[in-house]
Amino acid sequence: MIFYGGDYTPEQWPEEVWPRDVELMREAGVNLVSLGMFNWALLEPEPGVYTFEWLDRVLELLHGADIRVDLGTPSAAPPPWFARRNPGARLVDRAGHVLGQGGRQSFCPSAPEYAAAAANIADQLGRRYGAHPALALWHVHNEFAGVNAHCYCETCAAAFRDWLRGRHGDLATLNAAWGTAFWGQRYGDWAEIEPPRLAPTAVNPAQQLDYLRFCSDTHLANYRRERDVLRGHSPRVPITTNFMIANCKWLDYWKWAGEVDIVANDHYLASERADRHVELAMCADLTRSLAGGAPWLLMEHSTSAVNWQPRNIAKRPGELARNSLAHVARGADGVMFFQWRASRFGAEKFHSAMLPQAGTGTRIWREVTELGARLAGLGELRGTRVAADVAVVWDWEAWWALELEWRPSVDVTFRERVEAYYARLWEANLTVDFVHPEAALGRYPLVVVPSLYLTTAAAAKNFDAYVSGGGTLVVSYFSGIVDANDTVPDGAYPGALRELLGLTVEEFLPLPAGSTVTLSDGSTADVWTEDVHLAGARAVVSYVDGSPAITRHERGSGAAWYVSTRLHDEFLGRLLRRVCAEAGLAPADLPSTVELVRRPPFAVAINHGAEPVRVHGRDVPAGEVLVFREEA
Ligand code: GAL
């Protein structure tokens, strides 16, 4: 069975509506709902006073209809009484503003009062529902760090110092790691260290990096605390939380992934982008990769428009199914929506739902019920694993480091390069696994490293072993520049990767906005160039002055390519086709509007184009999705 359903908010409706909800859920094929994520004030109206009876009735109703429950803990929405009683647990921004209530997640993630209250309500829920037959899954919190990723209050400052003691041990080590000789920042006492609050100029980048690590770890500790409480009540019920791969830069999900029983992600389309389906595919591949290739759960997406983008573009007919099935194609064993029924009030009343404001006589409702029926017939896919062709390196720490202030060019960003390489591979119908820089790479014929500015010595060694052992590696510019403390290794760039790439970079030559360069093979590029010197590698393509632009270095039985400029998409595609051929990868012979993903023994073909296509002898009409069994 593929899970199908959405966030259910019965608390927003009179109780008479609930039986109709459940009836309609059955009609739509819903078999799982997420419940309770923002109900803290409704379950504990005063500290220590609990009103679970209404939730009991909701669970009974769902259970009676054979609908399973993904039960949320409400810790993302502490009640108003919590903020009033605990002024020290409020969120403080970088400028020192104490942020207000009236929204959600407006609490300091380091606050001990918050930790105690959140653990308590999780405990109450665990006691009451841990053995409930409808309970399929625990859903801790909602989108950790969604809006309170970083707090800069005094409690956080003290917690940061403790965390730093754990990481660096003593002040001398910290001073060395942070390079505090620069601008005379040497610390003589732990109490002198602050979070990187808003300052008149750039704050020490190593300090900023450590703060980002500390914050990610703090949210993770909050997750673990609640998880462990729930585990005590229901050791056999899986526990998860919803990641937000596309929209959250601030959690190091590689660290988080091992802490959940099933990886779950929320994905919302970048609705104004023409290539939004490619971005969707990338996020789905990243989610599966976090799950180590195991099936995962799409915890939230939308049936149509969201309400929080500048312009909330509605999905067009068929897009809902294409989006949902694209996630399934890339390994999701469940597709859930935010939300079951559209709210009539509150901040999200213009957000689409499975059951729109206009009710069941709507296109969205029709498409929702059609999808439910379709998924009911796809149960055999459950548990199958996606077959990937290529690995792309992804690292949150490198992302953070690259995008701190005062880099050589504001036009160089992490996601931009990852997406550019990913999209070219997508067009060639090659399926991507994302990998941590220090992960095992041996099973991939090709590994791509897009702008990995922060490269640890261990990662560099890993890439080297991969290439020496016969792998093909493609490295994009501005990789291997600093270590984990944002420090440049001794000697020429790219310190960590010089030997592997067989070259040095004497100087970065970023380009003025809007200017382009033409290379010796006619390719064009923009944003970034470099003064590259060969030290074992061979130039494959050069800049006009004859200096190397794209190089290839044979090492052991493999090869490491280096691309020192931002090739325009067409030419990056051409280069990657050449490298793929060298690595023995044959792109599928399909139009670039067709997406073909394999979950052996099944395959899923999605036709994003306006014309029908034939895929492996089968017709796929325009805009349609075909799931088929591959020939043995
Ligand atoms: C998610 C969140 C949901 C809802 C949704 C709207 O980020 O988890 O509670 O706000 O966005 O798109």
PDB file of all heavy atoms in Angstrom, residues 367-398:
ATOM      1  N   GLU A 367      -9.266  15.415  -9.269  1.00  0.00           N
ATOM      2  CA  GLU A 367      -7.893  14.919  -9.466  1.00  0.00           C
ATOM      3  C   GLU A 367      -7.377  14.207  -8.211  1.00  0.00           C
ATOM      4  O   GLU A 367      -6.614  13.249  -8.296  1.00  0.00           O
ATOM      5  CB  GLU A 367      -6.967  16.081  -9.871  1.00  0.00           C
ATOM      6  CG  GLU A 367      -7.293  16.600 -11.264  1.00  0.00           C
ATOM      7  CD  GLU A 367      -6.213  17.506 -11.857  1.00  0.00           C
ATOM      8  OE1 GLU A 367      -5.049  17.415 -11.445  1.00  0.00           O
ATOM      9  OE2 GLU A 367      -6.553  18.312 -12.745  1.00  0.00           O
ATOM     10  N   VAL A 368      -7.817  14.699  -7.052  1.00  0.00           N
ATOM     11  CA  VAL A 368      -7.409  14.068  -5.789  1.00  0.00           C
ATOM     12  C   VAL A 368      -7.986  12.648  -5.700  1.00  0.00           C
ATOM     13  O   VAL A 368      -7.281  11.694  -5.332  1.00  0.00           O
ATOM     14  CB  VAL A 368      -7.869  14.940  -4.590  1.00  0.00           C
ATOM     15  CG1 VAL A 368      -7.881  14.154  -3.297  1.00  0.00           C
ATOM     16  CG2 VAL A 368      -6.972  16.170  -4.453  1.00  0.00           C
ATOM     17  N   THR A 369      -9.244  12.482  -6.056  1.00  0.00           N
ATOM     18  CA  THR A 369      -9.849  11.136  -5.960  1.00  0.00           C
ATOM     19  C   THR A 369      -9.265  10.216  -7.042  1.00  0.00           C
ATOM     20  O   THR A 369      -9.022   9.036  -6.791  1.00  0.00           O
ATOM     21  CB  THR A 369     -11.384  11.199  -6.088  1.00  0.00           C
ATOM     22  OG1 THR A 369     -11.718  11.956  -7.243  1.00  0.00           O
ATOM     23  CG2 THR A 369     -12.018  11.847  -4.887  1.00  0.00           C
ATOM     24  N   GLU A 370      -9.009  10.779  -8.216  1.00  0.00           N
ATOM     25  CA  GLU A 370      -8.390   9.956  -9.275  1.00  0.00           C
ATOM     26  C   GLU A 370      -7.009   9.462  -8.842  1.00  0.00           C
ATOM     27  O   GLU A 370      -6.651   8.307  -9.047  1.00  0.00           O
ATOM     28  CB  GLU A 370      -8.232  10.780 -10.559  1.00  0.00           C
ATOM     29  CG  GLU A 370      -9.501  10.838 -11.390  1.00  0.00           C
ATOM     30  CD  GLU A 370      -9.471  11.953 -12.445  1.00  0.00           C
ATOM     31  OE1 GLU A 370      -8.353  12.426 -12.805  1.00  0.00           O
ATOM     32  OE2 GLU A 370     -10.570  12.351 -12.864  1.00  0.00           O
ATOM     33  N   LEU A 371      -6.252  10.366  -8.230  1.00  0.00           N
ATOM     34  CA  LEU A 371      -4.916   9.975  -7.785  1.00  0.00           C
ATOM     35  C   LEU A 371      -5.008   8.905  -6.695  1.00  0.00           C
ATOM     36  O   LEU A 371      -4.236   7.942  -6.697  1.00  0.00           O
ATOM     37  CB  LEU A 371      -4.145  11.205  -7.289  1.00  0.00           C
ATOM     38  CG  LEU A 371      -2.737  10.933  -6.762  1.00  0.00           C
ATOM     39  CD1 LEU A 371      -1.831  10.358  -7.859  1.00  0.00           C
ATOM     40  CD2 LEU A 371      -2.106  12.207  -6.189  1.00  0.00           C
ATOM     41  N   GLY A 372      -5.955   9.084  -5.784  1.00  0.00           N
ATOM     42  CA  GLY A 372      -6.138   8.091  -4.719  1.00  0.00           C
ATOM     43  C   GLY A 372      -6.399   6.709  -5.311  1.00  0.00           C
ATOM     44  O   GLY A 372      -5.811   5.702  -4.885  1.00  0.00           O
ATOM     45  N   ALA A 373      -7.271   6.672  -6.316  1.00  0.00           N
ATOM     46  CA  ALA A 373      -7.608   5.387  -6.943  1.00  0.00           C
ATOM     47  C   ALA A 373      -6.371   4.814  -7.644  1.00  0.00           C
ATOM     48  O   ALA A 373      -6.088   3.618  -7.592  1.00  0.00           O
ATOM     49  CB  ALA A 373      -8.741   5.592  -7.941  1.00  0.00           C
ATOM     50  N   ARG A 374      -5.622   5.696  -8.258  1.00  0.00           N
ATOM     51  CA  ARG A 374      -4.443   5.248  -8.991  1.00  0.00           C
ATOM     52  C   ARG A 374      -3.382   4.674  -8.039  1.00  0.00           C
ATOM     53  O   ARG A 374      -2.794   3.612  -8.301  1.00  0.00           O
ATOM     54  CB  ARG A 374      -3.880   6.447  -9.750  1.00  0.00           C
ATOM     55  CG  ARG A 374      -2.823   6.044 -10.684  1.00  0.00           C
ATOM     56  CD  ARG A 374      -2.764   6.940 -11.868  1.00  0.00           C
ATOM     57  NE  ARG A 374      -1.808   6.364 -12.782  1.00  0.00           N
ATOM     58  CZ  ARG A 374      -1.133   7.051 -13.668  1.00  0.00           C
ATOM     59  NH1 ARG A 374      -1.354   8.334 -13.801  1.00  0.00           N
ATOM     60  NH2 ARG A 374      -0.261   6.446 -14.457  1.00  0.00           N
ATOM     61  N   LEU A 375      -3.157   5.379  -6.956  1.00  0.00           N
ATOM     62  CA  LEU A 375      -2.146   4.912  -5.994  1.00  0.00           C
ATOM     63  C   LEU A 375      -2.558   3.581  -5.373  1.00  0.00           C
ATOM     64  O   LEU A 375      -1.707   2.736  -5.082  1.00  0.00           O
ATOM     65  CB  LEU A 375      -1.932   5.962  -4.897  1.00  0.00           C
ATOM     66  CG  LEU A 375      -1.238   7.258  -5.340  1.00  0.00           C
ATOM     67  CD1 LEU A 375      -1.269   8.294  -4.230  1.00  0.00           C
ATOM     68  CD2 LEU A 375       0.211   6.976  -5.763  1.00  0.00           C
ATOM     69  N   ALA A 376      -3.863   3.406  -5.195  1.00  0.00           N
ATOM     70  CA  ALA A 376      -4.341   2.134  -4.617  1.00  0.00           C
ATOM     71  C   ALA A 376      -3.921   0.960  -5.495  1.00  0.00           C
ATOM     72  O   ALA A 376      -3.728  -0.157  -5.007  1.00  0.00           O
ATOM     73  CB  ALA A 376      -5.849   2.184  -4.451  1.00  0.00           C
ATOM     74  N   GLY A 377      -3.752   1.222  -6.788  1.00  0.00           N
ATOM     75  CA  GLY A 377      -3.336   0.155  -7.702  1.00  0.00           C
ATOM     76  C   GLY A 377      -1.823   0.030  -7.836  1.00  0.00           C
ATOM     77  O   GLY A 377      -1.336  -0.803  -8.605  1.00  0.00           O
ATOM     78  N   LEU A 378      -1.080   0.851  -7.133  1.00  0.00           N
ATOM     79  CA  LEU A 378       0.386   0.837  -7.288  1.00  0.00           C
ATOM     80  C   LEU A 378       1.107   0.254  -6.067  1.00  0.00           C
ATOM     81  O   LEU A 378       2.305   0.479  -5.886  1.00  0.00           O
ATOM     82  CB  LEU A 378       0.897   2.264  -7.546  1.00  0.00           C
ATOM     83  CG  LEU A 378       0.487   2.902  -8.874  1.00  0.00           C
ATOM     84  CD1 LEU A 378       1.051   4.321  -8.984  1.00  0.00           C
ATOM     85  CD2 LEU A 378       0.980   2.061 -10.056  1.00  0.00           C
ATOM     86  N   GLY A 379       0.349  -0.481  -5.253  1.00  0.00           N
ATOM     87  CA  GLY A 379       0.912  -1.016  -4.013  1.00  0.00           C
ATOM     88  C   GLY A 379       2.178  -1.829  -4.220  1.00  0.00           C
ATOM     89  O   GLY A 379       3.045  -1.872  -3.341  1.00  0.00           O
ATOM     90  N   GLU A 380       2.312  -2.447  -5.386  1.00  0.00           N
ATOM     91  CA  GLU A 380       3.495  -3.302  -5.618  1.00  0.00           C
ATOM     92  C   GLU A 380       4.806  -2.517  -5.657  1.00  0.00           C
ATOM     93  O   GLU A 380       5.880  -3.083  -5.498  1.00  0.00           O
ATOM     94  CB  GLU A 380       3.345  -4.032  -6.955  1.00  0.00           C
ATOM     95  CG  GLU A 380       2.470  -5.247  -6.882  1.00  0.00           C
ATOM     96  CD  GLU A 380       2.452  -5.954  -8.227  1.00  0.00           C
ATOM     97  OE1 GLU A 380       2.306  -5.262  -9.258  1.00  0.00           O
ATOM     98  OE2 GLU A 380       2.610  -7.174  -8.251  1.00  0.00           O
ATOM     99  N   LEU A 381       4.690  -1.227  -5.874  1.00  0.00           N
ATOM    100  CA  LEU A 381       5.913  -0.412  -5.904  1.00  0.00           C
ATOM    101  C   LEU A 381       6.534  -0.281  -4.524  1.00  0.00           C
ATOM    102  O   LEU A 381       7.728  -0.027  -4.380  1.00  0.00           O
ATOM    103  CB  LEU A 381       5.598   1.007  -6.409  1.00  0.00           C
ATOM    104  CG  LEU A 381       5.994   1.314  -7.837  1.00  0.00           C
ATOM    105  CD1 LEU A 381       4.976   0.694  -8.766  1.00  0.00           C
ATOM    106  CD2 LEU A 381       6.060   2.803  -8.066  1.00  0.00           C
ATOM    107  N   ARG A 382       5.701  -0.396  -3.531  1.00  0.00           N
ATOM    108  CA  ARG A 382       6.150  -0.155  -2.165  1.00  0.00           C
ATOM    109  C   ARG A 382       7.370  -1.018  -1.812  1.00  0.00           C
ATOM    110  O   ARG A 382       7.368  -2.220  -2.039  1.00  0.00           O
ATOM    111  CB  ARG A 382       5.012  -0.460  -1.199  1.00  0.00           C
ATOM    112  CG  ARG A 382       5.421  -0.206   0.204  1.00  0.00           C
ATOM    113  CD  ARG A 382       4.284  -0.097   1.133  1.00  0.00           C
ATOM    114  NE  ARG A 382       4.827   0.171   2.445  1.00  0.00           N
ATOM    115  CZ  ARG A 382       4.132   0.569   3.452  1.00  0.00           C
ATOM    116  NH1 ARG A 382       2.854   0.753   3.320  1.00  0.00           N
ATOM    117  NH2 ARG A 382       4.711   0.779   4.603  1.00  0.00           N
ATOM    118  N   GLY A 383       8.377  -0.383  -1.291  1.00  0.00           N
ATOM    119  CA  GLY A 383       9.566  -1.122  -0.869  1.00  0.00           C
ATOM    120  C   GLY A 383      10.600  -1.307  -1.961  1.00  0.00           C
ATOM    121  O   GLY A 383      11.735  -1.673  -1.678  1.00  0.00           O
ATOM    122  N   THR A 384      10.227  -1.060  -3.220  1.00  0.00           N
ATOM    123  CA  THR A 384      11.236  -1.202  -4.282  1.00  0.00           C
ATOM    124  C   THR A 384      12.190  -0.007  -4.215  1.00  0.00           C
ATOM    125  O   THR A 384      11.839   1.061  -3.717  1.00  0.00           O
ATOM    126  CB  THR A 384      10.584  -1.255  -5.686  1.00  0.00           C
ATOM    127  OG1 THR A 384       9.820  -0.063  -5.883  1.00  0.00           O
ATOM    128  CG2 THR A 384       9.682  -2.468  -5.819  1.00  0.00           C
ATOM    129  N   ARG A 385      13.386  -0.199  -4.732  1.00  0.00           N
ATOM    130  CA  ARG A 385      14.415   0.848  -4.611  1.00  0.00           C
ATOM    131  C   ARG A 385      14.770   1.420  -5.967  1.00  0.00           C
ATOM    132  O   ARG A 385      14.853   0.690  -6.958  1.00  0.00           O
ATOM    133  CB  ARG A 385      15.673   0.259  -3.973  1.00  0.00           C
ATOM    134  CG  ARG A 385      15.448  -0.069  -2.518  1.00  0.00           C
ATOM    135  CD  ARG A 385      16.736  -0.505  -1.879  1.00  0.00           C
ATOM    136  NE  ARG A 385      16.576  -0.462  -0.423  1.00  0.00           N
ATOM    137  CZ  ARG A 385      17.405   0.164   0.405  1.00  0.00           C
ATOM    138  NH1 ARG A 385      18.461   0.782  -0.055  1.00  0.00           N
ATOM    139  NH2 ARG A 385      17.195   0.152   1.706  1.00  0.00           N
ATOM    140  N   VAL A 386      15.013   2.693  -5.969  1.00  0.00           N
ATOM    141  CA  VAL A 386      15.351   3.393  -7.207  1.00  0.00           C
ATOM    142  C   VAL A 386      16.762   3.009  -7.657  1.00  0.00           C
ATOM    143  O   VAL A 386      17.674   2.889  -6.833  1.00  0.00           O
ATOM    144  CB  VAL A 386      15.265   4.921  -6.980  1.00  0.00           C
ATOM    145  CG1 VAL A 386      15.812   5.698  -8.163  1.00  0.00           C
ATOM    146  CG2 VAL A 386      13.820   5.320  -6.674  1.00  0.00           C
ATOM    147  N   ALA A 387      16.917   2.813  -8.965  1.00  0.00           N
ATOM    148  CA  ALA A 387      18.243   2.524  -9.517  1.00  0.00           C
ATOM    149  C   ALA A 387      18.868   3.836  -9.973  1.00  0.00           C
ATOM    150  O   ALA A 387      18.345   4.493 -10.869  1.00  0.00           O
ATOM    151  CB  ALA A 387      18.102   1.568 -10.699  1.00  0.00           C
ATOM    152  N   ALA A 388      19.969   4.228  -9.345  1.00  0.00           N
ATOM    153  CA  ALA A 388      20.615   5.500  -9.708  1.00  0.00           C
ATOM    154  C   ALA A 388      21.826   5.241 -10.587  1.00  0.00           C
ATOM    155  O   ALA A 388      22.424   4.164 -10.558  1.00  0.00           O
ATOM    156  CB  ALA A 388      21.021   6.253  -8.449  1.00  0.00           C
ATOM    157  N   ASP A 389      22.181   6.261 -11.376  1.00  0.00           N
ATOM    158  CA  ASP A 389      23.300   6.118 -12.315  1.00  0.00           C
ATOM    159  C   ASP A 389      24.537   6.889 -11.881  1.00  0.00           C
ATOM    160  O   ASP A 389      25.661   6.468 -12.130  1.00  0.00           O
ATOM    161  CB  ASP A 389      22.884   6.685 -13.685  1.00  0.00           C
ATOM    162  CG  ASP A 389      21.621   6.036 -14.210  1.00  0.00           C
ATOM    163  OD1 ASP A 389      21.644   4.823 -14.444  1.00  0.00           O
ATOM    164  OD2 ASP A 389      20.606   6.745 -14.360  1.00  0.00           O
ATOM    165  N   VAL A 390      24.318   8.063 -11.289  1.00  0.00           N
ATOM    166  CA  VAL A 390      25.396   9.023 -11.068  1.00  0.00           C
ATOM    167  C   VAL A 390      25.297   9.547  -9.642  1.00  0.00           C
ATOM    168  O   VAL A 390      24.202   9.623  -9.090  1.00  0.00           O
ATOM    169  CB  VAL A 390      25.203  10.233 -12.034  1.00  0.00           C
ATOM    170  CG1 VAL A 390      26.256  11.297 -11.822  1.00  0.00           C
ATOM    171  CG2 VAL A 390      25.193   9.774 -13.477  1.00  0.00           C
ATOM    172  N   ALA A 391      26.424   9.947  -9.066  1.00  0.00           N
ATOM    173  CA  ALA A 391      26.371  10.589  -7.749  1.00  0.00           C
ATOM    174  C   ALA A 391      26.744  12.059  -7.875  1.00  0.00           C
ATOM    175  O   ALA A 391      27.656  12.422  -8.625  1.00  0.00           O
ATOM    176  CB  ALA A 391      27.316   9.897  -6.782  1.00  0.00           C
ATOM    177  N   VAL A 392      26.028  12.898  -7.142  1.00  0.00           N
ATOM    178  CA  VAL A 392      26.364  14.316  -7.039  1.00  0.00           C
ATOM    179  C   VAL A 392      26.623  14.601  -5.560  1.00  0.00           C
ATOM    180  O   VAL A 392      25.836  14.210  -4.698  1.00  0.00           O
ATOM    181  CB  VAL A 392      25.223  15.211  -7.578  1.00  0.00           C
ATOM    182  CG1 VAL A 392      25.519  16.686  -7.310  1.00  0.00           C
ATOM    183  CG2 VAL A 392      25.005  14.976  -9.075  1.00  0.00           C
ATOM    184  N   VAL A 393      27.733  15.274  -5.287  1.00  0.00           N
ATOM    185  CA  VAL A 393      28.101  15.549  -3.893  1.00  0.00           C
ATOM    186  C   VAL A 393      27.294  16.739  -3.374  1.00  0.00           C
ATOM    187  O   VAL A 393      27.173  17.767  -4.053  1.00  0.00           O
ATOM    188  CB  VAL A 393      29.617  15.826  -3.786  1.00  0.00           C
ATOM    189  CG1 VAL A 393      29.983  16.337  -2.400  1.00  0.00           C
ATOM    190  CG2 VAL A 393      30.389  14.549  -4.112  1.00  0.00           C
ATOM    191  N   TRP A 394      26.743  16.568  -2.180  1.00  0.00           N
ATOM    192  CA  TRP A 394      25.925  17.614  -1.551  1.00  0.00           C
ATOM    193  C   TRP A 394      26.376  17.729  -0.104  1.00  0.00           C
ATOM    194  O   TRP A 394      26.499  16.721   0.592  1.00  0.00           O
ATOM    195  CB  TRP A 394      24.448  17.216  -1.610  1.00  0.00           C
ATOM    196  CG  TRP A 394      23.539  18.203  -0.943  1.00  0.00           C
ATOM    197  CD1 TRP A 394      23.406  18.422   0.397  1.00  0.00           C
ATOM    198  CD2 TRP A 394      22.635  19.117  -1.576  1.00  0.00           C
ATOM    199  NE1 TRP A 394      22.476  19.415   0.626  1.00  0.00           N
ATOM    200  CE2 TRP A 394      21.986  19.851  -0.565  1.00  0.00           C
ATOM    201  CE3 TRP A 394      22.310  19.374  -2.918  1.00  0.00           C
ATOM    202  CZ2 TRP A 394      21.036  20.831  -0.840  1.00  0.00           C
ATOM    203  CZ3 TRP A 394      21.360  20.344  -3.185  1.00  0.00           C
ATOM    204  CH2 TRP A 394      20.728  21.061  -2.155  1.00  0.00           C
ATOM    205  N   ASP A 395      26.583  18.956   0.355  1.00  0.00           N
ATOM    206  CA  ASP A 395      27.042  19.126   1.729  1.00  0.00           C
ATOM    207  C   ASP A 395      26.523  20.440   2.302  1.00  0.00           C
ATOM    208  O   ASP A 395      26.801  21.507   1.754  1.00  0.00           O
ATOM    209  CB  ASP A 395      28.583  19.108   1.743  1.00  0.00           C
ATOM    210  CG  ASP A 395      29.134  19.188   3.166  1.00  0.00           C
ATOM    211  OD1 ASP A 395      28.477  18.684   4.088  1.00  0.00           O
ATOM    212  OD2 ASP A 395      30.224  19.758   3.336  1.00  0.00           O
ATOM    213  N   TRP A 396      25.767  20.342   3.396  1.00  0.00           N
ATOM    214  CA  TRP A 396      25.209  21.565   3.972  1.00  0.00           C
ATOM    215  C   TRP A 396      26.298  22.497   4.497  1.00  0.00           C
ATOM    216  O   TRP A 396      26.210  23.700   4.338  1.00  0.00           O
ATOM    217  CB  TRP A 396      24.198  21.216   5.077  1.00  0.00           C
ATOM    218  CG  TRP A 396      22.833  20.976   4.498  1.00  0.00           C
ATOM    219  CD1 TRP A 396      21.886  21.921   4.250  1.00  0.00           C
ATOM    220  CD2 TRP A 396      22.285  19.739   4.045  1.00  0.00           C
ATOM    221  NE1 TRP A 396      20.770  21.332   3.679  1.00  0.00           N
ATOM    222  CE2 TRP A 396      20.983  20.012   3.546  1.00  0.00           C
ATOM    223  CE3 TRP A 396      22.756  18.424   4.007  1.00  0.00           C
ATOM    224  CZ2 TRP A 396      20.156  19.018   3.024  1.00  0.00           C
ATOM    225  CZ3 TRP A 396      21.926  17.437   3.484  1.00  0.00           C
ATOM    226  CH2 TRP A 396      20.653  17.733   2.995  1.00  0.00           C
ATOM    227  N   GLU A 397      27.323  21.936   5.111  1.00  0.00           N
ATOM    228  CA  GLU A 397      28.377  22.806   5.660  1.00  0.00           C
ATOM    229  C   GLU A 397      29.070  23.596   4.540  1.00  0.00           C
ATOM    230  O   GLU A 397      29.387  24.772   4.700  1.00  0.00           O
ATOM    231  CB  GLU A 397      29.400  21.981   6.439  1.00  0.00           C
ATOM    232  CG  GLU A 397      28.817  21.389   7.699  1.00  0.00           C
ATOM    233  CD  GLU A 397      29.878  21.028   8.728  1.00  0.00           C
ATOM    234  OE1 GLU A 397      31.064  21.336   8.523  1.00  0.00           O
ATOM    235  OE2 GLU A 397      29.502  20.430   9.750  1.00  0.00           O
ATOM    236  N   ALA A 398      29.290  22.925   3.421  1.00  0.00           N
ATOM    237  CA  ALA A 398      29.940  23.610   2.291  1.00  0.00           C
ATOM    238  C   ALA A 398      29.017  24.703   1.747  1.00  0.00           C
ATOM    239  O   ALA A 398      29.481  25.774   1.327  1.00  0.00           O
ATOM    240  CB  ALA A 398      30.287  22.604   1.196  1.00  0.00           C
TER     241      ALA A 398
END
